[in-house]
Amino acid sequence: MKVQNLSKKYDDKIVLDGVTLEFSEKSVISLIGPNGAGKSTLMGIISRLVERSGGAAYFDGKDLKEWKSGELAKRLSILTQSHNVQMKLTVRELVSFGRFPHSAGRLSKEDYEIVDRAIAYMELGELQDKFIDELSGGQRQRAFIAMVIAQDTKVILLDEPTNNLDIYHATQMMRMVRRLCDELGKTVVLVLHEINYASFYSDFVCAMKDGRIAKFGTVEEVITKEVLSSIYQVDFEIMQVNGKPMTIYY
């Protein structure tokens, strides 16, 4: 998956400006940067939820515009920041929705087995018959991740998956993201505001500012005092924790 000279304008406001980026397969890639940097807009374009103004976006060598929605949904999934469910659904029913691109609502034995595995993978077995609105924020987020796992796509896009989670549940979420890559071979692209989560759990980091890519590379190349200070306009100090650069800012 890659984008070339990608741009997005709302009226006269440019929110993405000449973004060129290629996402490595079977990796965790984090998009970081201040509010308004263009992270969620970029995520929206590569998921086809947002129309691009210019440039190109490719998936498996074919322009995203050329993909049929049903076929793309078998290969690429997204979990946005807002995923409120109005219907009274159990966890199992929600996770089953992940099979819709494959089954069109008529689940086969194989579909049910995939749903079972997704529920087990996210450790939701004891909660599968509970209604979504009865769950805690962390449990609900795990249920939506299980739905994405059941969709069984090679690429997973997550827009701020740790948003509104406490430290424990946010850390558990990032561990699950890492497992999706390491154990299931998924390519995971996520928008994060927590720089240390990006540092500890990512293979690559894309730092954005003012709609442009300020720096893209490995964790060690991007999570530096110089790069972060120039992007966020605050002072950073970097320390090594378990071989990863961790940040303190002030």
Side-chain angles (χ1 to χ4, degrees):
M1 184 170 60
K2 64 180 181 180
V3 298
Q4 292 181 333
N5 201 30
L6 202 63
S7 65
K8 178 63 181 177
K9 295 173 65 176
Y10 291 103
D11 297 324
D12 294 330
K13 181 177 175 59
I14 300 174
V15 293
L16 279 184
D17 187 8
V19 171
T20 296
L21 181 64
E22 186 164 357
F23 300 91
S24 299
E25 293 186 356
K26 299 181 181 180
S27 301
V28 176
I29 303 105
S30 292
L31 308 179
I32 66 170
N35 291 336
K39 306 180 298 296
S40 292
T41 301
L42 174 58
M43 185 78 82
I45 290 175
I46 62 179
S47 63
R48 292 207 316 193
L49 295 178
V50 175
E51 183 73 19
R52 64 187 187 250
S53 300
Y58 300 96
F59 184 80
D60 277 355
K62 185 165 68 173
D63 193 296
L64 273 172
K65 290 183 177 180
E66 298 177 4
W67 282 91
K68 293 181 179 179
S69 296
E71 289 304 308
L72 185 63
K74 295 176 183 178
R75 296 166 172 82
L76 185 149
S77 55
I78 182 169
L79 187 61
T80 61
Q81 293 182 52
S82 57
H83 42 259
N84 295 323
V85 175
Q86 303 301 323
M87 295 181 290
K88 192 75 171 177
L89 294 175
T90 66
V91 169
R92 184 172 186 81
E93 289 169 338
L94 176 70
V95 176
S96 297
F97 278 142
R99 298 306 301 162
F100 188 84
H102 306 273
S103 66
R106 298 181 294 273
L107 272 65
S108 66
K109 179 181 178 181
E110 180 183 2
D111 291 319
Y112 284 118
E113 289 173 351
I114 292 172
V115 169
D116 288 339
R117 288 200 296 268
I119 289 172
Y121 194 79
M122 294 306 294
E123 300 175 358
L124 291 166
E126 295 182 359
L127 301 173
Q128 63 180 311
D129 295 321
K130 286 188 173 292
F131 290 107
I132 295 298
D133 58 6
E134 297 174 346
L135 305 181
S136 68
Q139 291 170 337
R140 191 178 301 115
Q141 195 78 316
R142 281 162 51 203
F144 278 99
I145 294 289
M147 179 183 68
V148 170
I149 293 174
Q151 193 172 334
D152 196 23
T153 60
K154 61 186 281 187
V155 176
I156 298 173
L157 310 177
L158 303 174
D159 195 355
E160 297 192 39
T162 61
N163 195 29
N164 296 323
L165 297 183
D166 59 32
I167 293 175
Y168 172 80
H169 288 106
T171 301
Q172 291 298 103
M173 180 59 60
M174 291 306 301
R175 288 174 177 168
M176 290 295 180
V177 166
R178 192 66 253 177
R179 289 177 61 198
L180 290 176
C181 176
D182 295 339
E183 297 178 6
L184 300 184
K186 307 295 185 182
T187 301
V188 185
V189 183
L190 61 162
V191 172
L192 285 176
H193 279 294
E194 300 86 349
I195 298 170
N196 285 333
Y197 282 149
S199 175
F200 199 80
Y201 293 100
S202 304
D203 298 298
F204 300 96
V205 177
C206 178
M208 300 185 67
K209 182 180 180 182
D210 298 329
R212 299 183 178 93
I213 295 177
K215 183 74 173 180
F216 175 75
T218 63
V219 169
E220 291 73 20
E221 291 170 333
V222 178
I223 306 300
T224 69
K225 178 178 180 179
E226 293 75 20
V227 170
L228 297 180
S229 296
S230 68
I231 293 171
Y232 291 97
Q233 301 299 302
V234 296
D235 292 323
F236 279 83
E237 295 296 336
I238 307 293
M239 64 178 67
Q240 294 291 319
V241 177
N242 293 332
K244 293 285 188 178
M246 298 286 110
T247 65
I248 300 174
Y249 51 90
Y250 51 90

